[in-house]
Amino acid sequence: SLLLLGTDSGTVECWDPRSRDRCATLSVPDATNITCLQTHKLLELGVGTEDGRVVLYDIRSTKPVLMKDHHYSKPINSIYFHDSEDYVISACSKSFKIWLKDSGKPVTTIEP
C-alpha cells in the first residue's frame, strides 16, 4: 500500500511506508494547494485544489486525464467516484456537482 499526500505547493507525493521513501511526485498544473485526494479502482486519482478545480489522473501518467472547474474559486473539499455509473461527485462550500468521469459533462449541480 502507498500513502498519498497533497501539499500546499501544488504537488501530490506518493510514499512507500515499507521503505519510508517517496516513490513519486506529481505536479498539478497551476495548482497552489491540494485540498483533497480520492483514489478509484487502483489506477484513478482525483485531486481537488484550493482554487476550485478537480483534476483526474491515471496514476500511470503525469498528464491529467481531465480537469473540471467548479467556477466558484472555493476549495474542493470532497471527491467521490460512483462505482455503478461513470459519475464523479465533487463538492466545495458553495455547491456539489455530479458529472461524467470520461467527458466532464455536467449531470447536475446542487447549491444549498
Side-chain angles (χ1 to χ4, degrees):
S1 70
L2 298 173
L3 175 65
L4 297 173
L5 301 171
T7 70
D8 59 2
S9 61
T11 62
V12 176
E13 295 181 352
C14 182
W15 291 81
D16 185 344
R18 294 167 295 177
S19 66
R20 297 182 180 184
D21 288 329
R22 183 174 56 204
C23 53
T25 302
L26 176 68
S27 293
V28 179
D30 302 320
T32 53
N33 292 339
I34 305 301
T35 55
C36 71
L37 299 169
Q38 181 65 48
T39 59
H40 182 245
K41 295 185 178 177
L42 300 175
L43 296 176
E44 297 171 326
L45 173 65
V47 179
T49 67
E50 184 177 45
D51 62 353
R53 290 180 297 131
V54 177
V55 186
L56 300 184
Y57 287 92
D58 178 318
I59 64 167
R60 296 169 290 189
S61 172
T62 59
K63 182 179 178 186
V65 173
L66 184 79
M67 294 177 70
K68 181 76 173 169
D69 194 338
H70 261 233
H71 298 292
Y72 292 114
S73 299
K74 302 281 186 190
I76 301 298
N77 54 34
S78 180
I79 300 170
Y80 176 77
F81 291 90
H82 193 280
D83 281 331
S84 63
E85 303 288 337
D86 281 337
Y87 294 149
V88 176
I89 303 166
S90 54
C92 67
S93 62
K94 182 98 173 157
S95 70
F96 77 84
K97 297 180 182 264
I98 302 173
W99 42 280
L100 296 176
K101 180 178 67 175
D102 296 330
S103 66
K105 181 179 176 185
V107 175
T108 192
T109 299
I110 299 174
E111 297 179 2

